[in-house]
Amino acid sequence: MKNFIASIAAVLLLALPGAARAGTVTVKGSDTMVILGQRWAEEFMKKNPNTKLQVTGGGSGVGLSALINGTTDIAMSSRPMKEAEGEKLRTRFNTTGTEISVAKDGVTFYVNEGNKVDALTQEQLKGIYLGDITNWKEVGGPDAPIIVYSRENSSGTYVFVKDNLLNGDDYTSSAQTLPGTAAVVNAVSKEKNGIGYGGSAYAKGIKELKIKKGNEAIAPSAENIKTGKYPLSRDLYFYLRNKPAADAKAFIDFVLSPEGQALVTKVGYFPVK
Amino acid sequence: MQSEGLVETATVAPRLSSVARRRQIREKVIAGFITAMAFTGIAALVLILVFIAKEALAIFLDAHAREEASLSKMFLPQVVRAGKPAAFVWQPVSSVPKVSMIPLFIGTLKTTLVSMVVAVPVGVAGALFAAEFAPRRMREILKPTIELLAGIPSVVLGFFALMVLASFLQDTFGLTSRLNAVVAGLGLSLAIVPVIFTVAEDALTAVPRSYREASLALGATPWETAWKVVLPAAAPGILAACVLGFGRAIGETMIVLMASGNAAIVSWNFADSVRSMSATIAAEMGEVVVGSPHYSLLFFIGVELFLFTFVLNMLANVWTRRVIKRLSGAGA
């Protein structure tokens, strides 16, 4: 019996450094980027079976606070790191962190496909999300109340829209918050007077709003987002505590390689390179 | 006390058989074990409360948090945008955080109210039927079926409320917002009915048969007996059922998170979307910066929820005792 226990202990002790050697890289954060991250991870692990990648969502804020708390190696974020977060990183780990832009995305506004409104100016969208415009007839639609859908405040898309469309002002308090782009799309497809926002999505029952600038209505197309013509486009980031090294570096090199960037297009976002 | 007695018996009968002694030791060990278990439960509860309170205390101790989330900001209307009237707004993630608890209180109250209005009559009436009128065969099917309802995960109920109930209500009544207090409340009531039913049914079956026989012998109809004799006699148990249901409703998170729309609106219209306290904790705990005022606020909401249920339980206890006293007093 004693021998048996001793042998098990020996096996465990031997296995420990082995477990540490088989590198595990954790990637956590933006729900917008989860699918993309998982596709990258799958492809990367096919090539490098010795490296394990764990990709989880939760929101950009969740990813960055995990980075600050030291519970993830890479944070995915659909918004730039905030000053307060950088401050925390400095005090905890004495680093400024590394920011790598890995893909581009456009924030699209959706309405129900039965809605006759096709295009809105940024001012009108801002008015709707601040709660100043509450009826569709004010923006050329039917006489019906606007049901505003938004995202939970842990979402990077929420912050992006707040900073880039609302100039940092607060959303109207009657905005209903939903978890994830999928939930917003689903709600708008069921709610004929609804409006929502999120990543590019192709779904039944909704249509993507164009953004009016002068006499032109700019659609959130790949071309317009890549060139930056579409006003609400953004970078998607990876954040690390230090300069990428070892397995994390290999993974990021793969992400930025032509092959990794081809996956970006496949998932429905836009390459940075 | 007891052990002294044992020692004495030992002196009188020096050969207390070893079997008996071993049995006594075993009894003691088992009793000790059970006691330890019971105290572990109590200790866990106390420790949880202490932890939550500790995280929430920062609101009152930390200068930065005190400024950002003072009591006046939590409970009095604040001017939110220049030129707009003062209002109650919950918007903790903002350049100027707004931390009014009022919309969350109202949201929680609305969903809980709707669920209680639906679930209490249904649960109690169902229990009365099962205990008093249902033929035995039917009762044997009815009871386990309703108790099975309690086993449905709340995620499933929430999804049902989100997809089916919400669309149905909107198509029927043409409500402006698809997700609202009524949808969430109805979803909640599905989770509470089995709780109320089970406890109330037990209370009703526990009423002594002599009560029923006496009532029937005096010429009351079965319905009068059930309504005026059995139900009042079981009142404390039924109240306990309602309190349990209420506790479940106020703390239920998943259903409300999915089906209420989560907009922090202050209004008395039940067709508006609402944001409840528990759903707020669930939705915001993930992204919050640990140790920030917002983080302490979320824990403070947890403490408030705990206090609500605690106070309600106490009130119910006091009331029950009074009823029992009155009943036994009348009996004497």
Side-chain angles (χ1 to χ4, degrees):
Chain A
M1 186 71 206
K2 254 191 189 157
N3 282 340
F4 176 68
I5 290 174
S7 61
I8 284 201
V11 167
L12 281 178
L13 281 174
L14 283 174
L16 270 176
R21 258 206 306 276
T24 305
V25 180
T26 49
V27 183
K28 190 177 170 74
S30 165
D31 283 323
T32 307
M33 297 166 70
V34 160
I35 295 175
L36 184 59
Q38 278 166 348
R39 294 293 290 278
W40 275 330
E42 279 165 24
E43 286 300 316
F44 182 77
M45 284 193 283
K46 266 186 209 159
K47 290 191 157 60
N48 308 283
N50 288 335
T51 314
K52 274 188 77 168
L53 283 162
Q54 293 174 345
V55 182
T56 44
S60 301
V62 177
L64 288 168
S65 59
L67 190 76
I68 291 163
N69 293 332
T71 50
T72 187
D73 302 316
I74 299 176
M76 300 183 285
S77 177
S78 54
R79 60 163 170 84
M81 191 186 268
K82 286 183 193 155
E83 248 172 69
E85 283 161 337
E87 194 66 40
K88 280 213 157 59
L89 203 57
R90 259 196 299 285
T91 50
R92 291 233 178 138
F93 293 96
N94 201 11
T95 64
T96 48
T98 308
E99 173 187 289
I100 298 159
S101 175
V102 291
K104 265 186 149 37
D105 176 31
V107 171
T108 314
F109 284 81
Y110 329 109
V111 289
N112 188 284
E113 66 179 358
N115 196 325
K116 52 185 192 196
V117 175
D118 279 325
L120 292 174
T121 64
Q122 281 199 63
E123 275 309 305
Q124 286 171 322
L125 283 171
K126 184 178 169 184
I128 288 172
Y129 271 89
L130 287 177
D132 299 335
I133 298 174
T134 54
N135 194 307
W136 281 111
K137 71 177 181 213
E138 297 172 58
V139 291
D143 180 6
I146 301 178
I147 307 298
V148 180
Y149 289 107
S150 171
R151 293 282 311 275
E152 282 298 351
N153 54 28
S154 56
S155 132
T157 318
Y158 168 101
V159 178
F160 176 81
V161 171
K162 185 176 164 142
D163 291 345
N164 293 274
L165 182 73
L166 310 181
N167 306 338
D169 280 346
D170 290 333
Y171 289 85
T172 166
S173 52
S174 58
Q176 302 186 26
T177 59
L178 297 167
T181 292
V184 174
V185 168
N186 183 310
V188 174
S189 69
K190 281 189 155 56
E191 171 74 70
K192 64 180 190 298
N193 300 319
I195 183 168
Y197 62 82
S200 306
Y202 304 100
K204 264 169 65 175
I206 61 157
K207 63 179 179 191
E208 297 186 331
L209 280 178
K210 299 185 179 77
I211 292 190
K212 267 194 287 204
K213 259 191 164 170
N215 301 326
E216 202 184 4
I218 305 158
S221 65
E223 199 44 46
N224 288 342
I225 286 169
K226 217 168 164 177
T227 56
K229 189 178 171 191
Y230 182 77
L232 292 166
S233 53
R234 60 175 171 176
D235 283 318
L236 301 175
Y237 303 98
F238 273 3
Y239 280 98
L240 291 87
R241 275 184 295 274
N242 304 311
K243 283 267 172 289
D247 289 324
K249 184 174 187 321
F251 177 56
I252 286 170
D253 288 343
F254 167 76
V255 162
L256 295 175
S257 71
E259 201 181 345
Q261 290 294 302
L263 281 174
V264 173
T265 319
K266 249 191 199 148
V267 176
Y269 298 118
F270 310 96
V272 280
K273 300 213 166 173
Chain B
M1 299 145 320
Q2 222 179 6
S3 55
E4 280 173 22
L6 285 179
V7 173
E8 269 170 45
T9 44
T11 50
V12 174
R15 287 214 191 168
L16 179 70
S17 73
S18 62
V19 176
R21 189 165 299 166
R22 211 176 299 153
R23 188 185 295 159
Q24 285 212 319
I25 291 170
R26 206 181 65 191
E27 286 289 325
K28 271 220 172 84
V29 169
I30 290 173
F33 182 70
I34 291 172
T35 316
M37 279 299 192
F39 275 99
T40 311
I42 295 171
L45 185 69
V46 170
L47 286 175
I48 288 171
L49 183 62
V50 165
F51 171 76
I52 294 176
K54 193 184 85 200
E55 298 292 341
L57 263 184
I59 289 187
F60 304 104
L61 303 179
D62 181 62
H64 173 49
R66 247 202 322 234
E67 188 186 336
E68 198 168 290
S70 64
L71 284 175
S72 68
K73 282 190 178 149
M74 276 192 244
F75 298 105
L76 298 174
Q78 303 288 325
V79 176
V80 177
R81 275 168 77 189
K84 296 246 167 162
F88 300 107
V89 177
W90 171 262
Q91 193 76 269
V93 179
S94 166
S95 46
V96 184
K98 296 154 198 77
V99 296
S100 180
M101 292 277 166
I102 306 296
L104 307 185
F105 283 164
I106 288 177
T108 306
L109 196 73
K110 273 194 205 170
T111 50
T112 311
L113 208 66
V114 172
S115 66
M116 292 304 275
V117 163
V118 175
V120 169
V122 171
V124 174
L128 198 65
F129 173 77
E132 299 298 310
F133 300 104
R136 169 179 271 196
R137 263 308 226 345
M138 193 166 179
R139 192 176 148 194
E140 275 166 8
I141 298 170
L142 192 71
K143 232 185 123 165
T145 313
I146 294 195
E147 282 167 9
L148 267 185
L149 254 184
I152 299 178
S154 51
V155 176
V156 176
L157 292 175
F159 191 72
F160 171 76
L162 170 73
M163 299 308 256
V164 182
L165 268 181
S167 296
F168 171 75
L169 284 177
Q170 198 188 19
D171 295 342
T172 326
F173 301 109
L175 305 170
T176 41
S177 62
R178 210 174 142 260
L179 302 176
N180 54 51
V182 177
V183 174
L186 287 176
L188 271 183
S189 61
L190 290 175
I192 307 172
V193 163
V195 175
I196 295 180
F197 173 88
T198 311
V199 181
E201 210 266 349
D202 285 346
L204 288 166
T205 26
V207 173
R209 276 202 49 181
S210 54
Y211 284 33
R212 293 189 184 89
E213 283 163 358
S215 166
L216 292 169
L218 288 170
T221 60
W223 166 244
E224 282 171 330
T225 303
W227 189 246
K228 296 200 169 143
V229 176
V230 180
L231 199 63
I238 287 175
L239 183 79
C242 295
V243 171
L244 262 178
F246 182 89
R248 173 91 200 263
I250 207 172
E252 175 56 59
T253 307
M254 209 60 217
I255 296 173
V256 186
L257 189 64
M258 290 168 89
S260 69
N262 295 322
I265 303 173
V266 179
S267 82
W268 288 113
N269 181 358
F270 280 78
D272 274 342
S273 164
V274 294
R275 189 180 186 90
S276 81
M277 294 160 75
S278 53
T280 302
I281 298 178
E284 299 180 12
M285 198 48 102
E287 53 81 46
V288 76
V289 181
V290 175
S292 65
H294 183 191
Y295 174 86
S296 311
L297 257 175
L298 293 180
F299 275 97
F300 184 68
I301 295 175
V303 173
E304 283 170 341
L305 277 175
F306 191 91
L307 285 178
F308 283 167
T309 27
F310 186 73
V311 167
L312 192 89
N313 268 326
M314 267 186 37
L315 288 176
N317 251 331
V318 170
W319 189 82
T320 323
R321 236 176 256 143
R322 227 181 256 170
V323 169
I324 289 175
K325 212 183 226 165
R326 211 182 57 215
L327 283 176
S328 55

